[in-house]
Amino acid sequence: MDNEKVFAMKFSKVYPLLVAKAERKGRTRQEVDEIICWLTGYGEGELQEQLKKEVDYRTFFEEAPRMNPNCHLITGSVCGIKVQEIKDPLMQKIRYLDKLVDELAKGKAMEKIMR
């Protein structure tokens, strides 16, 4: 899938998939929300507003209040691609989120996920 198709995906369509991935492994929607808010700077209400507005991935990250200054510490692979080596800044942010939810689903402690 090319990047523009990913960027145009509605965040409100991807969000339930992220939650489902975590819940299948015994984690909660609240933990997913906490990770999203940690990464993007959204508050819980702002996150819910973005979901209601059905913004795309591009808009979701462009309107993020502030990316966490420690997001550069997120390393590892998602779909065989090292997140720290992704050149496109928007794709890197999307993959950061994927990586954090993967870590949550694998049972990693919240304190370690939120570096």
Side-chain angles (χ1 to χ4, degrees):
M1 184 179 288
D2 80 49
N3 287 357
E4 287 306 316
K5 286 183 181 178
V6 174
F7 300 160
M9 292 170 58
K10 299 282 186 206
F11 184 70
S12 61
K13 302 293 183 204
V14 176
Y15 174 76
L17 302 174
L18 297 172
V19 171
K21 180 191 292 188
E23 288 179 339
R24 278 193 305 272
K25 299 294 185 169
R27 303 309 286 257
T28 66
R29 174 184 302 267
Q30 291 76 20
E31 288 174 309
V32 173
D33 290 355
E34 188 176 344
I35 286 169
I36 293 170
C37 292
W38 175 86
L39 180 64
T40 62
Y42 284 113
E44 181 62 34
E46 295 167 312
L47 171 58
Q48 295 308 314
E49 185 61 31
Q50 291 293 67
L51 291 167
K52 285 179 195 168
K53 290 189 326 189
E54 296 194 359
V55 298
D56 58 29
Y57 251 145
R58 179 184 303 280
T59 304
F60 180 77
F61 281 104
E62 284 177 352
E63 292 182 356
R66 69 170 174 74
M67 289 299 289
N68 191 292
N70 288 336
C71 66
H72 70 278
L73 299 175
I74 301 168
T75 60
S77 296
V78 174
C79 300
I81 300 169
K82 293 189 180 291
V83 295
Q84 64 272 23
E85 295 176 2
I86 296 172
K87 301 292 184 223
D88 185 292
L90 179 55
M91 183 56 76
Q92 188 173 47
K93 291 173 187 173
I94 291 169
R95 293 302 186 182
Y96 280 159
L97 179 56
D98 288 342
K99 180 65 179 164
L100 294 177
V101 174
D102 282 351
E103 289 177 356
L104 179 68
K106 289 178 180 172
K108 197 168 190 179
M110 289 295 285
E111 299 77 38
K112 292 191 180 209
I113 294 170
M114 297 186 296
R115 293 144 171 88

